[in-house]
Amino acid sequence: MTKELTLFSFALKNLSRKKLRTGILIIAISLLVCSLVFAMSFVKRVNASIKLTSERLGADILIVPAGSRGSAENILLENQVKSFYMDMSVIDKLKTIEGIAALTPQTYLITMPSLCCGVPEAMVIAFNQDTDFIITPWLDKKLKAGLKKGEAVVGSDSALNLDLGLVDVDSVLFGSTFKIVGVLGKTGTGLDNAIFISDDNMPHIIESGRVNIKPGQISIVFAKVKKGYDPYKISRNIEDSILEVDTVARKDIGKSIVNALSDINKIFYITVILASILSIFLVWAIFSAIANERAREVGIMRAIGAKESHVLTLFFIEVVVVGAIGSLLGIIFGNAMYFTLSKSFSIIKHLSAELNAVERSIITISGFLIGTSVCIVGALLPVQRLKKLEPLIVIKGES
Amino acid sequence: MSLIELRNVTKSYAIDNAVIDAVSNVSIEIAKGQFVSIVGHSGSGKTTLLSILGGIVKPTSGGVLFDGQDIYAFTSDELSEYRSKKIGFMFQFASLLPVLTAKENIMLPVLFRFNGSDGSGVSEEKALELLEMVGLGDKINAYPSQLSGGQQRRIAIARAFMNNPEVILADEPTGDLDEETEAEMMNFFKRMNNEKNITFIMVTHNTDLAMQTGRRLRMSNGVISEL
Ligand SMILES: Nc1ncnc2c1ncn2[C@@H]1O[C@H](COP(=O)(O)OP(=O)(O)OP(=O)(O)O)[C@@H](O)[C@H]1O
Ligand SMILES: [Mg+2]
């Protein structure tokens, strides 16, 4: 017994009669969905990293040396290794600004790869344990008591490097041996790649002469704002009254990256929109040809009892099957492309946040819906025309 | 009451500036179970008349009553159901779908009638039985392109019986069959007419076949007359 005839199996048989044409259509849709998935993953990942970092930082305002705003973001969002310094006296000036609840300074140091037996260049962050509210929340309970001189904790990704033997246990940093006593919880920010020490060690490190920093210098001050105060206003206030600093308010973290990216985003989306329109035309052209070829067959079906809805369903199944297969392939290609290319896009490579399951699903579902809708929209007119076809045509001979 | 009644049916076509009446003011009544043949020259309006009866071509004027109901007052879906349930149409020209096998072609009217299978497998048995009856039991899975013209013709004949129609409209159903097969098909029709009381309206050029039918009509320039 052969398989039962259904509208679905009938539609599949119709699709398979011109395999090349069906294949081209599927590939076109998959390319469209592929670029869509890639673009969305890229943009979402950048935005997610920015949001994550600003949420987890615990600070409302970042204060950095004038001109170093971008570098600070590079460190926090992209795990880049950068250093910049200003005088500690900034802290005293900041204390006079109204509305600030807490301040904590950090100093960024860069290990010298050449000096340190093959250890890759890494950020060392010296933080102030007495005032800190940035690092401590991510420390193990037993470490909350504080780091002693000569002790260090590492970010969760550095810890991975440790396991791989890329960083020495009991690392030699700037000529002194540091005992690594713990690992920071995963923050999903640039902090994951850094090594943390107490700023008690600074005089000793400066003495070693292996860093380009003078006594009394710091890199950044994190500020918390009192309840009821607007971080933006305070930010502006700070910049007006302390000329040697720039500020980044929490909501603005990543703004310079976002601005740089927004043009890329636009290009992505314009490309995807143009590709969608192109695909709609392609589907329209192909289904117009199909409609012409099958006019007589539709006439026969109508004459032996097919309703308009049967004709509609039959072609709708073909359209949706092409759209669905094309979209699924596109989702697979798009993800493959994203994972392969993200290694060569420096901007993605350094981003801290990975896309979570919800974001992945949203991208997948949007890709699928858009790919399928493009097919449906493109086929709408030709199929509508077929549906309305009078069965009369069948009584004529070959057409 | 008659099963089918045509009241002053006219179908006009406009060709260039001239208007021709393919069917001209035809009024006939056909009772249930009658076997009617229609003869007439090429272009006399036979196919047009059958198409009007089958709910395929709407007449320019006049009414077509089936069981007392005007079928051209039906909605599009009702008309489809009429074609699906009441009528079995054998077209003058090849009418099988090329992507479907012989059996699937025969099952197609069932698909449209039930939106799928009838759920019981009865239709499938019936399809095989009909294939057997038209002498093509061994061609179940052949595609139309693998069949001869006459074999395709017989598949189309079998298809017309699939939904147990009340009326068979046959447009030169034996046109491309050899004499022996033609006779077999005619016997098959007569059996269905006798056993199942199916009404037959058959267009034919073969006067021998026409002589075997209970009622004979002639079309001439769109006008119908009894013979
Ligand atoms: N769609 C149409 N448009 C214009 N004229 C038509 C159309 N269909 C049929 N005609 C004309 O109507 C007349 C009757 O045609 P019909 O097909 O009914 O003839 P027929 O008796 O079936 O002929 P044959 O024996 O050759 O099949 C012919 O003159 C034909 O040219
Ligand atoms: Mg004809």
Side-chain angles (χ1 to χ4, degrees):
Chain A
M1 242 4 58
T2 43
K3 274 219 315 250
E4 199 181 285
L5 181 67
T6 60
L7 283 174
F8 192 75
S9 67
F10 188 11
L12 289 190
K13 279 179 165 239
N14 272 329
L15 266 183
S16 63
R17 62 209 272 195
K18 294 235 164 137
K19 294 197 174 64
L20 181 68
R21 187 168 66 185
T22 305
I24 288 172
L25 205 50
I26 287 177
I27 288 170
I29 298 299
S30 75
L31 288 179
L32 168 70
V33 173
C34 172
S35 50
L36 184 82
V37 165
F38 178 73
M40 283 180 73
S41 304
F42 182 91
V43 171
K44 273 219 179 305
R45 171 112 178 249
V46 171
N47 288 337
S49 297
I50 289 165
K51 196 160 156 252
L52 194 74
T53 303
S54 82
E55 272 172 6
R56 293 192 172 169
L57 219 46
D60 297 311
I61 306 172
L62 278 59
I63 298 110
V64 295
S68 301
R69 202 183 265 141
S71 303
E73 291 184 340
N74 288 342
I75 292 170
L76 293 167
L77 294 168
E78 299 178 45
N79 309 334
Q80 286 192 20
V81 176
K82 294 252 165 97
S83 69
F84 41 84
Y85 303 110
M86 60 187 172
D87 199 84
M88 229 155 131
S89 62
V90 165
I91 299 176
D92 290 325
K93 294 182 191 163
L94 284 168
K95 280 179 182 158
T96 67
I97 307 268
E98 206 200 323
I100 289 182
L103 290 166
T104 186
Q106 289 183 359
T107 311
Y108 297 154
L109 307 164
I110 300 172
T111 60
M112 305 290 177
S114 53
L115 288 178
C116 195
C117 41
V119 173
E121 187 178 61
M123 284 285 304
V124 174
I125 298 179
F127 65 104
N128 184 280
Q129 295 201 79
D130 302 331
T131 55
D132 178 70
F133 52 88
I134 305 287
I135 309 298
T136 314
W138 299 98
L139 284 177
D140 276 353
K141 273 195 201 96
K142 57 178 190 289
L143 286 171
K144 290 250 156 88
L147 292 175
K148 292 194 209 57
K149 241 174 136 174
E151 285 182 346
V153 288
V154 292
S156 63
D157 291 344
S158 303
L160 210 73
N161 290 345
L162 267 175
D163 285 344
L164 295 173
L166 292 175
V167 176
D168 262 337
V169 183
D170 299 337
S171 258
V172 179
L173 299 170
F174 316 108
S176 330
T177 308
F178 278 84
K179 192 171 162 51
I180 291 170
V181 294
V183 175
L184 209 66
K186 175 110 183 149
T187 65
T189 70
L191 301 181
D192 289 343
N193 284 354
I195 299 166
F196 300 88
I197 58 174
S198 159
D199 61 4
D200 301 342
N201 296 295
M202 283 310 294
H204 193 72
I205 289 172
I206 294 168
E207 255 169 54
S208 79
R210 304 208 178 175
V211 284
N212 188 16
I213 178 174
K214 294 186 205 73
Q217 281 192 323
I218 53 170
S219 300
I220 191 167
V221 179
F222 293 93
K224 257 192 204 165
V225 165
K226 281 183 189 154
K227 269 222 168 70
Y229 282 85
D230 176 9
Y232 279 100
K233 271 198 192 130
I234 296 180
S235 251
R236 241 172 291 135
N237 232 339
I238 292 173
E239 287 190 4
D240 287 348
S241 49
I242 312 173
L243 294 176
E244 64 264 40
V245 300
D246 275 347
T247 60
V248 187
R250 184 210 275 254
K251 290 251 165 52
D252 285 344
I253 289 173
K255 207 168 194 173
S256 58
I257 296 180
V258 169
N259 286 342
L261 272 183
S262 73
D263 285 346
I264 301 178
N265 288 359
K266 273 182 213 146
I267 293 169
F268 265 151
Y269 283 121
I270 289 172
T271 312
V272 168
I273 288 169
L274 289 181
S276 302
I277 294 172
L278 197 70
S279 307
I280 288 175
F281 274 113
L282 185 70
V283 174
W284 176 77
I286 288 184
F287 270 87
S288 290
I290 289 177
N292 286 338
E293 283 164 26
R294 302 218 205 123
R296 208 178 104 79
E297 288 174 30
V298 170
I300 295 170
M301 292 192 282
R302 296 281 279 126
I304 63 171
K307 294 178 182 164
E308 286 177 17
S309 59
H310 288 126
V311 176
L312 206 61
T313 309
L314 207 52
F315 281 91
F316 188 69
I317 293 170
E318 282 190 46
V319 172
V320 170
V321 165
V322 166
I325 294 177
S327 300
L328 287 179
L329 287 178
I331 288 164
I332 294 169
F333 294 157
N335 278 306
M337 190 162 120
Y338 169 70
F339 285 114
T340 332
L341 285 189
S342 63
K343 292 194 188 80
S344 55
F345 271 73
S346 72
I347 204 170
I348 301 187
K349 186 165 65 183
H350 292 299
L351 282 178
S352 39
E354 259 306 334
L355 291 176
N356 62 32
V358 175
E359 287 161 328
R360 284 251 132 261
S361 319
I362 289 175
I363 292 172
T364 304
I365 293 169
S366 326
F368 189 84
L369 289 183
I370 290 175
T372 313
S373 321
V374 159
C375 274
I376 293 172
V377 170
L380 219 52
L381 281 178
V383 173
Q384 200 66 21
R385 190 152 49 88
L386 271 184
K387 186 191 84 171
K388 286 284 167 207
L389 202 78
E390 285 304 315
L392 159 77
I393 192 160
V394 71
I395 61 170
K396 309 247 179 71
E398 296 304 320
S399 56
Chain B
M1 191 181 71
S2 54
L3 180 64
I4 301 169
E5 185 181 348
L6 298 193
R7 285 185 187 159
N8 309 104
V9 170
T10 297
K11 176 69 191 178
S12 314
Y13 286 113
I15 301 172
D16 298 327
N17 335 359
V19 175
I20 64 144
D21 289 350
V23 168
S24 177
N25 201 26
V26 168
S27 296
I28 45 167
E29 290 184 31
I30 293 164
K32 184 156 179 63
Q34 268 190 338
F35 201 131
V36 182
S37 62
I38 303 177
V39 295
H41 292 301
S42 178
S44 59
K46 306 180 295 294
T47 299
T48 307
L49 183 70
L50 277 199
S51 303
I52 290 170
L53 287 168
I56 293 172
V57 171
K58 190 176 162 59
T60 313
S61 63
V64 180
L65 305 187
F66 188 95
D67 264 343
Q69 280 185 299
D70 183 352
I71 63 168
Y72 288 102
F74 288 165
T75 63
S76 166
D77 275 2
E78 285 168 344
L79 199 56
S80 290
E81 272 179 33
Y82 167 77
R83 295 195 283 250
S84 167
K85 292 178 182 168
K86 311 289 187 191
I87 304 295
F89 212 120
M90 298 170 195
F91 303 99
Q92 185 174 4
F93 300 101
S95 64
L96 298 183
L97 298 196
V99 280
L100 302 182
T101 63
K103 194 189 83 180
E104 287 168 337
N105 262 293
I106 294 186
M107 294 288 285
L108 206 52
V110 181
L111 177 67
F112 295 139
R113 177 165 185 176
F114 296 102
N115 278 317
S117 78
D118 63 351
S120 65
V122 169
S123 305
E124 179 155 0
E125 262 171 46
K126 175 152 194 202
L128 297 177
E129 197 183 312
L130 280 166
L131 272 170
E132 210 66 60
M133 282 170 155
V134 296
L136 292 171
D138 55 338
K139 299 287 186 193
I140 298 171
N141 293 319
Y143 286 92
S145 60
Q146 300 165 328
L147 297 170
S148 74
Q151 287 169 332
Q152 292 182 38
R153 170 67 57 147
R154 281 182 281 158
I155 302 287
I157 288 173
R159 181 180 65 188
F161 291 97
M162 215 32 228
N163 277 342
N164 301 317
E166 291 188 40
V167 179
I168 290 283
L169 300 174
D171 199 348
E172 293 182 46
T174 58
D176 35 21
L177 299 179
D178 61 273
E179 266 174 48
E180 194 182 335
T181 317
E182 181 174 53
E184 276 170 23
M185 287 302 111
M186 190 60 197
N187 286 334
F188 172 49
F189 293 166
K190 285 194 282 193
R191 216 174 85 210
M192 296 304 264
N193 177 243
N194 284 331
E195 288 176 4
K196 307 211 165 161
N197 203 28
I198 298 175
T199 308
F200 275 76
I201 302 171
M202 180 177 78
V203 170
T204 181
H205 285 297
N206 184 328
T207 38
D208 284 348
L209 288 190
M211 293 309 288
Q212 298 176 39
T213 63
R215 181 179 177 192
R216 292 189 299 284
L217 300 175
R218 171 186 294 283
M219 284 289 283
S220 172
N221 287 326
V223 179
I224 204 154
S225 56
E226 302 273 349
L227 277 180

